[in-house]
Amino acid sequence: MRNAPATNTIHTHPAAFLMQQWQRFLSGLDRILTFYESDKQVEGLEWHQQMHGIISPLNISDEARQKLKSISKEKISHQWLRPELLPFVSQDAIKLNQLDLFSESHYLVLLVRTNKRETTILSYLFFRNDCSNFGISGNQSKLETSHKAIIGQMASQFANIALDNYYSVREESESFKEATRSLLNANQLDNTKQTEALKEWKNNWLDTYLLESSRRDGVNYVLSEQGRAKLLSGEHTYEACKDAIDKCIHYICKLYNPATGDELMIEASYIQLAQQSVHQQLSKAPLATNQQNRAMLILDRLEDAAAYLQQQGQSITSADVGATMQKPISAPAISDALRKNRVRILQLLEQYPERWPVIRRYFKPIINLRNKNNHFLSASG
């Protein structure tokens, strides 16, 4: 089993979400391997402490896939394993004593098996056999059987709670997306009813988005009444409100460096909003063709991934952006998509100068695309 090109993943698949939660929950982790089934194919992700928070997709052999499928069907929620007997470690490597991390006797491996919404996730958690990693003692004595039983039970319960929260937030998000579509299609409403419905939707969306952000970061974000009034005033777009909240959260987290469980108040003075209204934006936007919609979707997905990486203080490379998207793609796939939609993307960037600010400024494939076009126009002139 080998690593695919290293990337930083935060896409919305529950397996990637759970991998992030393990890093926050268990400080003694050195390595995490996660396996799950996608389109009837076993996929894998790896995180290593020495990889600076980067999550890498794994290339899995056919033999390992079959073993992992069999393990996924077992009922036990968690178990401690010997590293050299893991299903993805080849026997040839064992004979040649080339187990790398797996061969070190001072490592312990905890397998946590979760099954939610017909999705089974196998989390292999690698620990050093050292009690101090868990605050059990100040020395480096080995974990006893009783310690392992407690840690395993707590890890299993945590995984189920984390995934329940993940699906709850996702359902709330989908519910409000559907409400948005219904609202936009309700042309029979008069202007007053539309304004009230939009205000109610914004209120509900704000509560849901802050709850989702709080669960994601482990911090309780609270929006002041003045802050809420500022976001609800005028006809600010959904994108403008979301961008303002994300930038505000990033700022106050840098300012106060909160610990897990802290409450942070989002004041009106922290919120900076663009002035363009919904009507202004719609009046400038002609009906897009299917090809334009595809190009716009590409830009939106790139922007969402790049904005998150910027918020986390991480590099905005093609590999990182691709892995952060809802459906992860490789850096070459991004280049191919930009090449095939080059003209429409350039038109959209010109047509909507206030949209996609992060990739305009920090994402090199977009920067290079625009620079090449500007150079061509200058040469033509």
Side-chain angles (χ1 to χ4, degrees):
M1 182 180 64
R2 299 177 300 169
N3 291 86
T7 55
N8 194 310
T9 303
I10 184 69
H11 63 270
T12 57
H13 192 281
F17 172 82
L18 184 57
M19 177 171 271
Q20 292 180 319
Q21 304 313 304
W22 286 129
Q23 298 169 42
R24 297 188 177 108
F25 179 64
L26 295 167
S27 59
L29 281 171
D30 269 11
R31 190 179 195 178
I32 307 171
L33 295 177
T34 297
F35 300 95
Y36 59 97
E37 193 165 322
S38 176
D39 297 327
K40 297 183 179 181
Q41 182 82 356
V42 174
E43 304 291 346
L45 299 170
E46 179 187 23
W47 171 86
H48 195 293
Q49 191 178 48
Q50 297 178 354
M51 294 166 64
H52 308 293
I54 294 176
I55 295 176
S56 303
L58 291 171
N59 292 325
I60 310 170
S61 68
D62 291 338
E63 180 184 2
R65 290 184 196 276
Q66 293 303 317
K67 291 180 180 179
L68 290 164
K69 281 186 177 181
S70 178
I71 293 171
S72 296
K73 297 176 182 178
E74 297 175 6
K75 301 300 181 183
I76 187 170
S77 63
H78 61 279
Q79 60 190 120
W80 291 90
L81 305 169
R82 291 170 55 190
E84 65 270 17
L85 297 182
L86 294 175
F88 37 81
V89 177
S90 69
Q91 295 301 312
D92 290 339
I94 294 175
K95 292 175 183 177
L96 297 173
N97 194 26
Q98 295 178 346
L99 295 182
D100 191 25
L101 177 64
F102 304 110
S103 64
E104 300 183 33
S105 60
H106 54 275
Y107 275 92
L108 299 173
V109 182
L110 173 62
L111 166 60
V112 178
R113 186 184 291 100
T114 54
N115 189 290
K116 297 282 185 181
R117 313 292 178 91
E118 300 182 354
T119 298
T120 299
I121 300 173
L122 302 178
S123 299
Y124 288 87
L125 312 177
F126 290 78
F127 305 92
R128 291 188 180 275
N129 194 0
D130 179 353
C131 289
S132 64
N133 281 329
F134 304 95
I136 296 174
S137 68
N139 56 38
Q140 293 189 350
S141 60
K142 293 185 177 181
L143 289 171
E144 302 292 340
T145 302
S146 59
H147 296 155
K148 294 180 183 179
I150 294 171
I151 293 168
Q153 185 63 36
M154 289 178 60
S156 178
Q157 292 177 355
F158 171 80
N160 282 288
I161 292 171
L163 289 174
D164 285 340
N165 286 338
Y166 166 86
Y167 284 113
S168 175
V169 170
R170 192 174 73 171
E171 287 174 356
E172 291 171 357
S173 177
E174 290 299 323
S175 175
F176 283 110
K177 285 180 181 178
E178 182 59 34
T180 304
R181 286 190 288 267
S182 298
L183 179 63
L184 294 176
N185 292 329
N187 295 323
Q188 302 90 340
L189 294 173
D190 57 36
N191 290 336
T192 301
K193 289 183 178 180
Q194 286 182 353
T195 301
E196 290 300 316
L198 181 60
K199 185 175 181 179
E200 181 181 359
W201 177 87
K202 273 190 176 181
N203 260 313
N204 292 332
W205 173 80
L206 283 172
D207 292 336
T208 301
Y209 191 66
L210 287 174
L211 176 62
E212 181 179 353
S213 300
S214 296
R215 286 174 173 170
R216 178 195 66 205
D217 300 340
V219 177
N220 184 23
Y221 298 118
V222 179
L223 182 62
S224 70
E225 290 300 317
Q226 293 84 354
R228 184 179 295 272
K230 186 171 184 178
L231 289 167
L232 295 177
S233 64
E235 295 181 20
H236 302 294
T237 64
Y238 158 82
E239 289 86 359
C241 291
K242 180 177 180 294
D243 183 63
I245 292 175
D246 287 342
K247 289 179 178 178
C248 183
I249 286 175
H250 180 66
Y251 174 76
I252 60 178
C253 285
K254 290 284 187 183
L255 185 63
Y256 296 110
N257 191 25
T260 300
D262 283 355
E263 180 175 294
L264 287 181
M265 180 67 71
I266 300 177
E267 301 288 356
S269 57
Y270 297 150
I271 300 172
Q272 301 299 319
L273 283 162
Q275 298 302 311
Q276 189 179 30
S277 71
V278 174
H279 293 313
Q280 288 172 328
Q281 188 181 61
L282 292 178
S283 65
K284 294 180 182 179
L287 292 176
T289 65
N290 289 335
Q291 292 177 328
Q292 286 175 321
N293 286 335
R294 188 181 304 113
M296 186 172 291
L297 182 61
I298 292 171
L299 290 172
D300 287 343
R301 288 177 174 175
L302 291 173
E303 178 71 14
D304 287 345
Y308 179 84
L309 290 171
Q310 183 188 52
Q311 179 183 347
Q312 298 299 310
Q314 298 169 358
S315 59
I316 305 178
T317 63
S318 292
D320 289 350
V321 169
T324 303
M325 296 170 72
Q326 182 174 359
K327 292 184 177 180
I329 62 174
S330 64
I334 291 178
S335 299
D336 186 59
L338 294 179
R339 178 182 58 80
K340 290 179 177 178
N341 296 274
R342 183 182 65 85
V343 174
R344 288 179 290 277
I345 286 174
L346 289 170
Q347 289 173 341
L348 289 170
L349 291 171
E350 181 70 22
Q351 186 176 358
Y352 303 103
E354 295 184 1
R355 295 188 66 175
W356 311 294
V358 178
I359 57 175
R360 286 175 185 269
R361 186 171 181 182
Y362 300 109
F363 190 47
K364 285 188 177 179
I366 292 294
I367 295 172
N368 293 338
L369 189 68
R370 299 181 70 201
N371 288 343
K372 287 181 181 178
N373 187 61
N374 291 339
H375 178 73
F376 173 77
L377 292 176
S378 298
S380 300

